[in-house]
Amino acid sequence: MLSDHHPGAGVRFHILGPLAARTEEGPVDLGTNKQRLLLAVLLCRPGKILSTESLTYALWGEKPPPSAASNIRLYVHRLRRALGRDRIVTQGGAGYRLHAQPPEIDAHRFADLVRDGHAAFGAGDPHRASQRLRSALSLWRDRPFTGMEDEPALQPEVDRMEEIRLSAVELRLDADLALGRNAELIPELVGLVAEHPLREHLHAQLMLALYRSGRQAEALDAYHRIRRHLVRELGLEPGSELRAVEATILSGGSFPSPRPPSFPGPRPPTESHQGKRPSHSVDIRVGSPGRVQ
């Protein structure tokens, strides 16, 4: 249960879009770009002490100014004052720690809702799964840390969270397909496969939605398009899922209700051209511990 007495109580942080913070009094002015970047890095590892050395590297890279350590102390002082919480960022050991509980960070609320959706789907309740996953995805306003997403210190976390988001989209589509919403999903799936042309599960979902909507020829055309793309870009034939969907369509068979992927969902393919088939596991933790580099 969330305590009302921890140092950061009453502050809400938003990282699924532009970085923002809000207290009971309203939005918080988070200050300069470097000060905002410091807060963003701390938000990636809430509750964990990040060394002054790692924070210095995150803010300035290989060539920090001589005043880096004192600048960080100044940014922390200003953040405490802006957030109205003297101990929301504390110094401990050789570094700093942000005190924030999971419900106070939108990315953590997103992860909890995705877990709920996955559990509901696994329990045979696609309606609840779809609802929970839609609620999770509604928290996204834009790319994580919009405007700072290309900062080297944030880029790995941004990429990881976007992978989790796309896994949640796929799982929501599986739930909606299980509910028979085939025809209405086709335009969305067409857009998604265009955006992520190497992501095989999305292509399988599009083929399924087309086939169940009485558009068998288009479903087979979709298979041939992804096959050509995989062969051309990766030198690989389609994986077992796509081949099985094609075989079922060719035989005029029926598809069983989709089963949820292994918790917490498939990892989106790494869209490289290295001739390797991507793995399908993803760590759903948001803000897991680790040194910022």
Side-chain angles (χ1 to χ4, degrees), residues 99-129:
H99 295 271
Q101 299 293 321
E104 296 164 344
I105 304 173
D106 59 357
H108 287 263
R109 298 197 300 277
F110 165 77
D112 285 344
L113 286 165
V114 171
R115 290 188 187 96
D116 288 349
H118 186 278
F121 197 16
D125 190 349
H127 182 73
R128 176 175 170 80

Side-chain angles (χ1 to χ4, degrees), residues 138-156:
S138 72
L139 295 173
W140 284 68
R141 297 166 294 137
D142 206 329
R143 293 193 72 196
F145 301 112
T146 301
M148 296 190 294
E149 68 267 38
D150 293 330
E151 289 284 350
L154 300 178
Q155 210 162 18

Side-chain angles (χ1 to χ4, degrees), residues 109-290:
R109 298 197 300 277
F110 165 77
D112 285 344
L113 286 165
V114 171
R115 290 188 187 96
D116 288 349
H118 186 278
F121 197 16
D125 190 349
H127 182 73
R128 176 175 170 80
S130 178
Q131 286 184 326
R132 301 301 279 176
L133 291 160
R134 287 177 185 275
S135 295
L137 293 163
S138 72
L139 295 173
W140 284 68
R141 297 166 294 137
D142 206 329
R143 293 193 72 196
F145 301 112
T146 301
M148 296 190 294
E149 68 267 38
D150 293 330
E151 289 284 350
L154 300 178
Q155 210 162 18
E157 187 71 5
V158 170
D159 292 343
R160 192 178 68 85
M161 287 191 288
E162 289 199 319
E163 288 183 355
I164 296 171
R165 181 194 66 82
L166 198 46
S167 291
V169 169
E170 281 189 336
L171 187 57
R172 194 220 87 215
L173 289 165
D174 278 335
D176 286 342
L177 286 167
L179 292 168
R181 298 169 178 166
N182 300 293
E184 66 186 83
L185 294 176
I186 291 171
E188 180 182 4
L189 282 162
V190 168
L192 285 168
V193 299
E195 186 178 356
H196 306 281
L198 298 179
R199 194 177 182 93
E200 294 186 35
H201 188 56
L202 285 174
H203 288 272
Q205 290 175 316
L206 174 59
M207 291 167 64
L208 176 59
L210 287 166
Y211 178 63
R212 286 180 170 173
S213 300
R215 297 160 65 174
Q216 180 177 359
E218 290 176 71
L220 291 171
D221 284 344
Y223 174 80
H224 294 305
R225 282 196 300 273
I226 178 58
R227 181 184 178 277
R228 286 194 298 270
H229 195 78
L230 288 169
V231 170
R232 181 175 63 248
E233 298 294 339
L234 299 180
L236 294 174
E237 289 290 336
S240 58
E241 180 185 19
L242 280 171
R243 294 197 306 271
V245 173
E246 184 212 20
T248 302
I249 292 172
L250 287 171
S251 68
S254 60
F255 289 89
S257 296
R259 299 191 314 174
S262 299
F263 181 80
R267 178 183 292 278
T270 302
E271 295 187 0
S272 66
H273 296 179
Q274 303 304 312
K276 297 180 180 178
R277 190 173 300 284
S279 66
H280 291 279
S281 62
V282 62
D283 182 354
I284 203 169
R285 291 174 298 165
V286 177
S288 53

Side-chain angles (χ1 to χ4, degrees), residues 38-94:
L38 173 64
L39 177 60
V41 171
L42 290 169
L43 277 165
C44 290
R45 300 291 183 268
K48 306 297 179 184
I49 294 176
L50 302 186
S51 70
T52 301
E53 178 187 6
S54 66
L55 290 171
T56 298
Y57 186 82
L59 269 62
W60 291 284
E62 298 285 355
K63 297 181 179 180
S67 60
S70 60
N71 286 353
I72 289 175
R73 285 195 296 273
L74 176 61
Y75 299 153
V76 168
H77 170 73
R78 289 175 175 172
L79 284 171
R80 289 170 176 164
R81 186 173 59 188
L83 295 168
R85 306 291 188 276
D86 289 340
R87 291 186 54 77
I88 194 167
V89 182
T90 59
Q91 188 169 9

